[in-house]
């Protein structure tokens, strides 16, 4: 289906046309994970100025689940990291300048160097990892630990980004987090506005939409996906069995993970949210390189009460801002769709 075309991207062979090159970088960027698959990013190409400007789209900030826009900023950080890694593949370096204006608009001006003839010597992320990655919300094999070198990389990338990383591997803490997760899911699902908003993005499997999460990415068949999609959108009380089922499956997925990674930040501000997104995506891509699967969970991060519990358990003063699981999957999951690139890119014509 057309809404999955974005995943068929190929690297450019000829890097001579700067406009085509920047467009290609953006095509890699939009494969990034993002909250509810809203894709809260907009890009402006200023090829003559060697710049791409990346905006956190205000319409991509979900009013019920992302009141202050933290999740949208983290998502944009993930896209920025993909863009940086694709640029590195072409032997380019990028310098991002993040600004947050008084009317709460965040924009990243990305200054790009020219591509280098030595691009093939690049030893970072392979573009294949970006193309292969997808969230896997299923259970992971708890008997198969992650390689120590990978876990070490998670810490190293967080440190390099100026952030704090905790890797939770001990069973009591994993179980405690799994219990928190179940309660946090139930808490958010009990809120009408949250549930309806989720219903707009939780989609039937055969959807032709470019944004949102088809039920098969949650391991659900066609009928159940449609039923959950409708039930979430309905007025009135939510079927308690469905709410329970969703919360329990989130808990069990958490339980069945050899590692839970938590990225914490010193200040709860847009700059750090974007930085947390970059570190998150760098870690997810590294996991992919090792053949490991990952998924991201926001409920514990966004509900203040649970965030405080997490902080207490971690014995940290810094704020946990991203929580992800990593492990070797027991079941493959499909990609999620992407909206057409034309809708998210503007070219400043007078500058080209
Ligand atoms: C900041 C952020 C928060 C997310 N929160 C959740 C979450 O709470 N639960 C969940 O199942 N997936 C979560 N995700 C995963 C997204 O739903 C997923 O990235 C999106 O649907 C696109 O799918 P893909 O990553 O497989 O391409 C989150 C992703 C990001 C970047």
């Amino acid at each position: 289906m057309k809404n999955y075309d974005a995943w068929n991207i190929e690297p450019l062979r000829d890097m001579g046309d700067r406009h085509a090159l920047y467009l290609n970088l953006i095509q890699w960027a939009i494969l990034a994970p993002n909250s509810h698959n809203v894709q809260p990013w907009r890009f402006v190409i200023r090829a003559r100025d060697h710049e791409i400007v990346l905006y956190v789209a205000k319409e991509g900030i979900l009013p019920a689940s992302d009141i202050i826009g933290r999740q949208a900023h983290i998502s944009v950080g993930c896209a920025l990291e993909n863009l940086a890694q694709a640029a590195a593949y072409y032997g380019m370096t990028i310098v991002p300048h993040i600004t947050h204006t008084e009317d709460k608009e965040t924009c990243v001006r990305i200054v790009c160097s020219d591509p280098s003839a030595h691009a093939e010597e690049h030893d970072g992320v392979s573009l294949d990892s970006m193309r292969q990655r997808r969230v896997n919300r299923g259970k992971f094999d708890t008997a198969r630990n992650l390689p120590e070198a990978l876990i070490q990389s998670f810490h190293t990338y967080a440190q390099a980004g100026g952030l704090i990383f905790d890797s939770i591997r001990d069973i009591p803490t994993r179980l405690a987090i799994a219990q928190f997760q179940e309660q946090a899911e139930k808490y958010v699902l009990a809120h009408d506005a949250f549930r309806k908003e989720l219903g707009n993005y939780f989609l039937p499997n055969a959807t032709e939409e470019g944004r949102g999460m088809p039920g098969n990415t949650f391991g659900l068949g066609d009928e159940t996906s449609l039923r959950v999609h409708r039930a979430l959108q309905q007025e009135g009380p939510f079927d308690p069995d469905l709410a329970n089922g969703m919360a329990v499956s989130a808990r069990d997925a958490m339980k069945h993970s050899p590692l839970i990674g938590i990225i914490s930040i010193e200040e709860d501000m847009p700059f750090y949210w974007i930085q947390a997104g970059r570190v998150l995506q760098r870690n997810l891509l590294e996991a992919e390189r090792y053949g490991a699967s990952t998924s991201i969970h926001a409920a514990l991060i966004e509900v203040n009460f649970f965030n405080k519990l997490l902080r207490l358990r971690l014995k940290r003063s810094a704020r946990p801002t991203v929580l992800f699981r990593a492990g070797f999957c027991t079941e493959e999951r499909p990609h999620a769709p992407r909206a057409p690139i034309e809708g998210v890119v503007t070219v400043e014509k007078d500058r080209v």
Side-chain angles (χ1 to χ4, degrees), residues 43-91:
F43 300 85
V44 177
I45 295 181
R46 293 180 183 162
R48 183 181 285 180
D49 294 346
H50 296 252
E51 271 180 25
I52 300 170
V53 189
L54 165 56
Y55 290 92
V56 180
K58 283 197 171 159
E59 66 276 19
I61 298 179
L62 296 181
S65 58
D66 191 19
I67 300 164
I68 62 167
R70 190 187 290 115
Q71 297 298 310
H73 280 73
I74 297 168
S75 305
V76 166
C78 292
L80 175 59
E81 183 59 21
N82 262 15
L83 195 147
Q85 292 298 335
Y89 175 86
Y90 293 125

Side-chain angles (χ1 to χ4, degrees), residues 7-38:
W7 298 101
N8 299 330
I9 179 176
E10 292 292 335
L12 283 180
R13 279 158 193 249
D14 175 3
M15 294 171 273
D17 176 350
R18 205 183 295 152
H19 174 259
L21 178 60
Y22 289 4
L23 201 59
N24 185 265
L25 294 180
I26 295 170
Q27 285 176 306
W28 291 105
I30 65 164
L31 302 183
N34 64 94
S35 175
H36 284 49
N37 204 17
V38 173

